[in-house]
Amino acid sequence: MKPIANISGETSVLLDSEGDLELWLLGLETKTEFNNFVLKVYNDAFMDEFFRIQYSDIAESTEEYFHRARVCGVRHKSGQLIGTWGLILKSVEDRDFQLPIEIRYNLPIQSIVEKFPNHDLRYAFNGWRAAVDKDALEKNNIQRNKSIFVFDFLIRGLTMDFPGKMSEYLGVSELEKLVFKYNRRVGIPWQIIGEPVHFWNRDRYPCAFLLGEFVDYLQKFHPERFDFIYKR
């Protein structure tokens, strides 16, 4: 089946640049770097003296999904990776391939779509491996509050070649409460759609949002962010 949007290929592709930062569609040659980056950021966020995520926890999912995903990375001009975010996409009519949230929470995408009546949803994407390294921000003299900019840069890369209308897309992901609240604060209108599953030292909730609502929110309340993401 033809991918909905360009997905990560064998080699990385430079998509855009802004000041000292570069936006890349990460290629399969970055898998080891990608795994180590995500492992570091997630362990910084979730580990304590009793718990640590293992490399295999990250690498196994990478082997399963990276080649099916659109994975973007923001790098400093020096080459250091600052942030990552991936989307695993499919048609809502596709019953053959299951997104990670469908498997972990036993939530078929069709049942999630039914929670958003009166919307013409054609595509679903599972957010995957969103991570920003705060130490890398500091090392490169990037203010921590610029992490929102890094996420906006990643969103630009992830959605820049989506076909059709943004209102046709449903986003899904599994989020712990702290990340859920942060995402809501920057304008992503996540809704909790089920009971949590406990893994990686946290309760994580299945969540969904309408991409069209996010775009409308930015256009109304943050026109400068809207222009940066969607009008460059």
Side-chain angles (χ1 to χ4, degrees), residues 19-58:
D20 291 341
L21 299 181
E22 298 174 343
L23 175 65
W24 289 82
L25 179 63
L26 297 180
L28 294 173
E29 90 283 1
T30 70
K31 283 196 299 184
T32 299
E33 177 191 19
F34 173 81
N35 287 341
N36 286 322
F37 176 82
V38 172
L39 182 67
K40 188 266 184 190
V41 173
Y42 284 14
N43 268 326
D44 284 351
F46 303 128
M47 75 173 183
D48 58 28
E49 60 181 312
F50 304 108
F51 174 82
R52 187 175 183 86
I53 299 169
Q54 301 302 307
Y55 182 85
S56 59
D57 293 337
I58 304 298

Coordinates of all heavy atoms in Angstrom, one line a residue, residues 19-58:
G19 N 18.1 29.6 11.6 CA 19.2 30.0 12.5 C 20.2 28.9 12.6 O 20.7 28.4 11.6
D20 N 20.5 28.5 13.8 CA 21.5 27.4 14.0 C 20.9 26.0 14.0 O 21.6 25.0 14.3 CB 22.2 27.6 15.4 CG 23.1 28.8 15.4 OD1 23.5 29.3 14.3 OD2 23.4 29.3 16.5
L21 N 19.6 25.9 13.8 CA 18.9 24.6 13.8 C 18.5 24.1 12.4 O 18.1 24.9 11.6 CB 17.6 24.7 14.7 CG 17.9 25.1 16.2 CD1 16.6 25.2 17.0 CD2 18.8 24.1 16.9
E22 N 18.5 22.8 12.3 CA 18.2 22.2 11.0 C 17.1 21.1 11.2 O 17.1 20.4 12.2 CB 19.4 21.5 10.4 CG 20.6 22.5 10.1 CD 21.8 21.7 9.6 OE1 21.9 20.5 9.8 OE2 22.7 22.4 9.0
L23 N 16.2 21.1 10.3 CA 15.1 20.1 10.3 C 15.4 19.0 9.3 O 15.6 19.3 8.2 CB 13.8 20.8 10.0 CG 12.5 19.9 9.9 CD1 12.2 19.3 11.2 CD2 11.3 20.7 9.4
W24 N 15.4 17.8 9.8 CA 15.7 16.6 9.0 C 14.6 15.6 9.0 O 14.0 15.4 10.0 CB 17.0 15.9 9.5 CG 18.2 16.7 9.3 CD1 18.7 17.7 10.1 CD2 19.2 16.5 8.2 NE1 19.9 18.2 9.5 CE2 20.2 17.5 8.4 CE3 19.2 15.7 7.1 CZ2 21.3 17.6 7.5 CZ3 20.3 15.8 6.3 CH2 21.3 16.7 6.5
L25 N 14.4 15.0 7.9 CA 13.6 13.7 7.8 C 14.7 12.6 8.0 O 15.5 12.4 7.2 CB 12.9 13.5 6.5 CG 12.1 12.2 6.3 CD1 11.0 12.2 7.3 CD2 11.6 12.1 4.9
L26 N 14.7 12.0 9.2 CA 15.7 11.1 9.6 C 15.6 9.8 8.8 O 14.5 9.3 8.5 CB 15.6 10.8 11.1 CG 15.9 11.9 12.0 CD1 15.8 11.5 13.5 CD2 17.2 12.6 11.8
G27 N 16.8 9.3 8.4 CA 16.8 8.1 7.6 C 17.2 6.9 8.5 O 17.6 7.0 9.6
L28 N 17.1 5.7 7.8 CA 17.4 4.5 8.6 C 18.8 4.4 9.1 O 19.2 3.6 10.0 CB 17.1 3.3 7.7 CG 15.6 3.1 7.4 CD1 15.4 2.0 6.3 CD2 14.8 2.8 8.6
E29 N 19.7 5.2 8.4 CA 21.1 5.1 8.9 C 21.3 5.8 10.3 O 22.4 5.6 10.9 CB 22.1 5.9 7.8 CG 22.3 7.3 8.1 CD 21.1 8.2 7.6 OE1 20.1 7.7 7.2 OE2 21.2 9.5 7.7
T30 N 20.3 6.4 10.8 CA 20.4 7.1 12.1 C 19.8 6.2 13.2 O 19.8 6.7 14.3 CB 19.7 8.4 12.1 OG1 18.2 8.2 12.0 CG2 20.1 9.3 10.9
K31 N 19.5 5.0 12.9 CA 18.7 4.2 13.9 C 19.5 4.1 15.3 O 18.8 4.2 16.3 CB 18.4 2.8 13.4 CG 17.2 2.8 12.4 CD 16.6 1.5 12.2 CE 17.6 0.5 11.6 NZ 17.0 -0.8 11.3
T32 N 20.7 3.8 15.2 CA 21.5 3.7 16.5 C 21.6 5.0 17.2 O 21.3 5.0 18.4 CB 22.9 3.1 16.2 OG1 22.8 1.8 15.6 CG2 23.7 3.0 17.5
E33 N 21.9 6.1 16.5 CA 21.9 7.4 17.1 C 20.5 7.7 17.7 O 20.4 8.3 18.8 CB 22.3 8.4 16.1 CG 22.3 9.9 16.6 CD 22.4 10.9 15.5 OE1 22.2 10.6 14.3 OE2 22.8 12.1 15.9
F34 N 19.5 7.5 16.9 CA 18.1 7.7 17.3 C 17.8 7.0 18.6 O 17.2 7.5 19.6 CB 17.2 7.3 16.2 CG 15.7 7.4 16.5 CD1 15.0 8.6 16.4 CD2 15.0 6.2 16.7 CE1 13.6 8.6 16.7 CE2 13.6 6.2 17.0 CZ 13.0 7.4 17.0
N35 N 18.1 5.7 18.6 CA 17.8 4.9 19.8 C 18.5 5.4 21.0 O 17.9 5.5 22.1 CB 18.3 3.4 19.6 CG 17.4 2.7 18.6 OD1 16.2 3.0 18.4 ND2 17.9 1.6 18.0
N36 N 19.8 5.7 20.9 CA 20.5 6.2 22.0 C 20.0 7.6 22.5 O 19.9 7.9 23.7 CB 22.0 6.4 21.7 CG 22.7 5.0 21.6 OD1 22.4 4.1 22.4 ND2 23.6 4.8 20.7
F37 N 19.6 8.4 21.6 CA 19.0 9.7 21.9 C 17.7 9.6 22.7 O 17.6 10.2 23.8 CB 18.8 10.5 20.6 CG 18.1 11.9 20.9 CD1 18.9 13.0 21.3 CD2 16.8 12.0 20.7 CE1 18.3 14.2 21.5 CE2 16.1 13.3 20.9 CZ 16.9 14.3 21.3
V38 N 16.8 8.8 22.2 CA 15.5 8.6 22.8 C 15.7 7.9 24.2 O 15.1 8.3 25.2 CB 14.6 7.7 22.0 CG1 13.3 7.3 22.7 CG2 14.2 8.5 20.7
L39 N 16.6 6.9 24.3 CA 16.9 6.3 25.6 C 17.4 7.3 26.6 O 16.9 7.3 27.8 CB 17.9 5.2 25.4 CG 18.3 4.3 26.6 CD1 17.1 3.5 27.0 CD2 19.5 3.5 26.3
K40 N 18.3 8.2 26.2 CA 18.8 9.1 27.1 C 17.7 10.1 27.6 O 17.6 10.4 28.8 CB 20.0 9.9 26.4 CG 20.8 10.8 27.3 CD 20.3 12.3 27.3 CE 21.2 13.2 28.1 NZ 20.6 14.5 28.3
V41 N 17.0 10.6 26.7 CA 15.9 11.6 27.1 C 14.9 11.0 28.0 O 14.4 11.5 29.0 CB 15.3 12.2 25.8 CG1 14.1 13.1 26.2 CG2 16.3 13.1 25.0
Y42 N 14.4 9.8 27.6 CA 13.4 9.1 28.3 C 13.9 8.7 29.7 O 13.1 8.8 30.7 CB 12.8 7.9 27.6 CG 11.9 8.2 26.4 CD1 11.8 9.5 25.9 CD2 11.1 7.3 25.8 CE1 11.0 9.9 24.9 CE2 10.3 7.6 24.8 CZ 10.2 8.9 24.3 OH 9.4 9.2 23.2
N43 N 15.1 8.2 29.8 CA 15.6 7.9 31.2 C 15.8 9.1 32.0 O 15.6 9.1 33.2 CB 16.9 7.1 31.0 CG 16.7 5.6 31.0 OD1 15.7 5.1 31.6 ND2 17.5 4.9 30.3
D44 N 16.2 10.2 31.4 CA 16.3 11.5 32.2 C 14.9 11.8 32.8 O 14.8 12.4 33.9 CB 16.8 12.6 31.3 CG 18.3 12.6 31.0 OD1 18.9 11.7 31.7 OD2 18.7 13.3 30.2
A45 N 13.9 11.5 32.0 CA 12.5 11.9 32.4 C 11.9 10.9 33.4 O 11.1 11.3 34.3 CB 11.6 12.1 31.2
F46 N 12.1 9.7 33.2 CA 11.3 8.6 33.8 C 12.0 7.8 34.8 O 11.3 7.1 35.6 CB 10.6 7.7 32.8 CG 9.8 8.5 31.8 CD1 10.0 8.3 30.4 CD2 8.8 9.4 32.2 CE1 9.2 9.0 29.5 CE2 8.1 10.1 31.2 CZ 8.3 9.9 29.9
M47 N 13.3 7.7 34.8 CA 14.0 6.8 35.7 C 14.1 7.3 37.1 O 14.0 8.5 37.4 CB 15.4 6.5 35.2 CG 16.4 7.6 35.4 SD 18.1 7.0 35.0 CE 19.1 8.4 35.4
D48 N 14.2 6.4 38.1 CA 14.5 6.8 39.5 C 15.5 5.7 39.9 O 16.1 5.0 39.1 CB 13.3 6.9 40.3 CG 12.5 5.6 40.3 OD1 13.1 4.5 40.1 OD2 11.3 5.6 40.5
E49 N 15.8 5.7 41.2 CA 16.8 4.8 41.7 C 16.4 3.3 41.6 O 17.3 2.4 41.7 CB 17.1 5.1 43.2 CG 15.9 5.0 44.1 CD 16.2 5.3 45.6 OE1 17.2 4.7 46.1 OE2 15.5 6.1 46.2
F50 N 15.2 3.1 41.3 CA 14.7 1.7 41.2 C 14.4 1.3 39.7 O 14.2 0.1 39.5 CB 13.4 1.5 42.0 CG 13.6 1.8 43.4 CD1 13.0 3.0 43.9 CD2 14.3 1.1 44.3 CE1 13.1 3.3 45.3 CE2 14.5 1.4 45.6 CZ 13.9 2.6 46.1
F51 N 14.4 2.2 38.8 CA 13.9 1.9 37.5 C 14.8 2.6 36.4 O 15.2 3.7 36.5 CB 12.5 2.4 37.3 CG 12.0 2.2 35.9 CD1 11.5 1.0 35.5 CD2 12.0 3.3 35.0 CE1 11.0 0.8 34.2 CE2 11.5 3.1 33.7 CZ 11.0 1.9 33.3
R52 N 15.0 1.8 35.3 CA 15.7 2.4 34.2 C 15.3 1.7 32.9 O 15.2 0.5 32.9 CB 17.3 2.3 34.3 CG 18.0 3.0 33.2 CD 19.5 2.9 33.5 NE 20.3 3.6 32.5 CZ 20.5 4.9 32.6 NH1 20.1 5.6 33.6 NH2 21.2 5.6 31.6
I53 N 14.9 2.5 31.9 CA 14.5 1.9 30.6 C 15.7 1.2 30.0 O 16.9 1.8 30.0 CB 14.0 3.0 29.7 CG1 12.7 3.6 30.3 CG2 13.6 2.4 28.3 CD1 12.2 4.9 29.6
Q54 N 15.6 0.1 29.4 CA 16.6 -0.7 28.7 C 16.7 -0.3 27.2 O 15.7 0.0 26.6 CB 16.5 -2.2 28.9 CG 16.4 -2.6 30.4 CD 17.7 -2.2 31.1 OE1 18.8 -2.5 30.7 NE2 17.5 -1.6 32.2
Y55 N 17.9 -0.4 26.7 CA 18.1 -0.1 25.3 C 17.2 -1.0 24.4 O 16.6 -0.5 23.4 CB 19.6 -0.3 24.9 CG 19.9 0.0 23.4 CD1 20.2 1.3 23.0 CD2 19.9 -1.0 22.5 CE1 20.5 1.6 21.7 CE2 20.2 -0.7 21.1 CZ 20.5 0.6 20.8 OH 20.7 0.9 19.4
S56 N 17.0 -2.2 24.8 CA 16.2 -3.1 24.0 C 14.8 -2.7 23.9 O 14.1 -2.9 22.9 CB 16.3 -4.6 24.5 OG 15.8 -4.6 25.9
D57 N 14.3 -2.0 25.0 CA 12.9 -1.5 25.0 C 12.7 -0.5 23.8 O 11.6 -0.4 23.2 CB 12.6 -0.8 26.3 CG 12.6 -1.7 27.5 OD1 12.3 -2.9 27.2 OD2 12.7 -1.3 28.6
I58 N 13.7 0.3 23.5 CA 13.7 1.3 22.5 C 14.0 0.7 21.1 O 13.2 0.9 20.1 CB 14.7 2.5 22.7 CG1 14.4 3.1 24.1 CG2 14.6 3.5 21.6 CD1 13.1 3.8 24.3

